[in-house]
Amino acid sequence: MRRASETAAVSSKYSPGSLLSVGHLSVAEVSAILAETARIAALSPAERSAILRGRTIALLFYESSTRTRTSFELAAKSLGATTTLVSDKSSSIEKGESLKDTGLTLRALGAECIILRHSASGAPFVLARETGLPVLNAGDGMHEHPSQALLDLRTILNRLHGADKATSITEHSLSGVTVTITGDILHSRVARSNAMLLPRLGARVLLCGPTKLLPEDALGLGPGIEIERDFDRALAKSQVVMMLRIQKERIAGIELDLNEYIHRYQLNSERLLASAPQALVLHPGPMIRGLEISDEVADGAQSAIEEQVAHGLAIRSALLARALSAGIFKGQTI
Ligand code: NCD
């Protein structure tokens, strides 16, 4: 686990307010983000729209996105900011412009913060270094998806401990909680960010999937993370189960027998009822219904999948306030 001094050293290379990796956040910072999320959510729309009034935020998306892009954009607008979206289709990126030049162009046009999704792991670090602007990592290749891990954390805390307990956390907030993450762990930035964050708050994380999608050395397993290949056994130990899509855009060369995969790893109602009748069901989306998850489970009472989306809007509001040193982060260099 990273000590606070190391955390500060890592993040000081980039503009304060950047969120490039969950590994850069101390537990106290995660706690402050959750507190600001709850504070902003409780404001009236008029109060909320004063937080970033007059500020300019750019969304730079080199990969497809529905939830992440829309929630960052709506969050920025609800805080009063002006937003602009640049995507790889329909911009000079198609003509071969580099990430650096695109970033400098956005900065010259007045962008004060850039939200970046990119297929290359590490791209947000490059953009943050080259522009000096706060950059929010909205997913970089197979590396990280920090805002997703934070919204998953808020969803888990709300459902397991109640909304009032989701406003501050310690190293023990998830003690006694086992979270199983099942599916294409190898290619999942969501799995990586969650596996970095949740054990630091006391959770045990079980990774589940076939060897092709979950090699023995997956994610450089650290404390609090184990592999359990038998999904039913993992479920029986879990309070939370997070299902993942097979990332077909990153899976080149890997052959899978989908019927076998469905048989062993699909979360369906028989399996849920038999092994984890109380467990909370999460999925970052997009879901491939009928493959990793059945309709009944996705739409069932144990599913918090739509809540995750709503928490995404709330968490991203706080991350934008933090990026631009507004709200409770005013004047702080975190
Ligand atoms: C995920 C992503 O893009 O990493 N989606 C998301 O942001 N909610 C997961 C995925 O694409 O399967």
Side-chain angles (χ1 to χ4, degrees):
M1 193 182 297
R2 226 185 270 283
R3 289 199 317 272
S5 56
E6 292 170 3
T7 305
V10 170
S11 48
S12 66
K13 280 197 280 177
Y14 306 99
S15 174
S18 282
L19 181 55
L20 306 174
S21 161
V22 289
H24 292 179
L25 293 174
S26 66
V27 172
E29 284 168 339
V30 175
S31 197
I33 290 166
L34 290 170
E36 179 65 344
T37 302
R39 192 188 73 83
I40 293 175
L43 294 176
S44 69
E47 289 169 322
R48 206 174 296 152
S49 71
I51 296 176
L52 294 183
R53 187 171 296 144
R55 314 297 298 267
T56 303
I57 293 169
L59 297 110
L60 180 50
F61 277 67
Y62 288 75
E63 276 191 348
S64 309
S65 172
T66 301
R67 281 151 286 271
T68 306
R69 183 178 73 67
T70 313
S71 58
F72 264 121
E73 186 175 347
L74 291 176
K77 289 195 158 110
S78 79
L79 299 179
T82 297
T83 62
T84 183
L85 169 68
V86 177
S87 75
D88 56 339
K89 323 271 178 313
S90 79
S91 73
S92 287
I93 296 167
E94 250 189 346
K95 301 179 187 171
E97 185 162 65
S98 69
L99 176 64
K100 172 180 172 177
D101 287 332
T102 305
L104 294 177
T105 301
L106 291 171
R107 190 181 69 181
L109 289 168
E112 297 168 88
C113 164
I114 302 177
I115 299 156
L116 177 68
R117 170 166 286 193
H118 202 286
S119 58
S121 300
F125 293 76
V126 173
L127 187 68
R129 202 182 53 227
E130 296 294 349
T131 62
L133 293 176
V135 169
L136 300 181
N137 180 356
D140 61 329
M142 292 157 46
H143 181 229
E144 275 220 51
H145 198 343
S147 64
Q148 179 72 40
L150 291 168
L151 76 88
D152 291 336
L153 171 63
R154 188 169 198 249
T155 310
I156 294 170
L157 291 169
N158 263 274
R159 276 287 197 114
L160 263 47
H161 299 331
D164 54 325
K165 296 277 188 336
T167 55
S168 78
I169 46 147
T170 68
E171 280 86 354
H172 307 295
S173 290
L174 292 180
S175 294
V177 175
T178 297
V179 180
T180 287
I181 308 179
T182 300
D184 186 358
I185 310 287
L186 177 63
H187 301 107
S188 176
R189 50 202 180 199
V190 175
R192 183 176 300 275
S193 287
N194 269 294
M196 285 174 78
L197 179 65
L198 301 178
R200 292 173 65 205
L201 311 174
R204 175 165 70 145
V205 171
L206 301 180
L207 303 176
C208 182
T211 322
K212 285 177 182 170
L213 301 181
L214 171 56
E216 281 303 317
D217 58 354
L219 309 187
L221 296 176
I225 310 174
E226 296 157 47
I227 289 179
E228 169 55 85
R229 296 204 188 265
D230 183 319
F231 191 21
D232 299 290
R233 220 167 25 214
L235 277 175
K237 298 175 191 162
S238 299
Q239 286 72 45
V240 180
V241 53
M242 182 182 299
M243 300 305 297
L244 299 174
R245 175 178 74 91
I246 299 173
Q247 307 249 324
K248 64 177 185 341
E249 66 276 31
R250 302 186 217 277
I251 205 168
I254 299 180
E255 279 182 19
L256 275 182
D257 177 339
L258 284 187
N259 287 327
E260 162 83 2
Y261 185 85
I262 289 170
H263 175 69
R264 292 188 61 185
Y265 301 108
Q266 184 187 74
L267 188 61
N268 51 43
S269 20
E270 301 78 64
R271 179 165 260 148
L272 195 59
L273 190 65
S275 301
Q278 307 294 328
L280 181 64
V281 175
L282 303 181
H283 194 308
M287 288 185 276
I288 308 300
R289 290 169 178 254
L291 210 172
E292 74 271 11
I293 193 165
S294 70
D295 278 326
E296 310 86 73
V297 173
D299 302 327
Q302 288 171 249
S303 164
I305 296 170
E306 281 184 34
E307 282 166 51
Q308 285 175 276
V309 178
H311 287 309
L313 188 63
I315 282 284
R316 288 170 179 135
S317 301
L319 292 178
L320 289 166
R322 176 178 179 270
L324 293 170
S325 302
I328 64 167
F329 302 110
K330 209 171 194 146
Q332 281 186 33
T333 48
I334 58 174

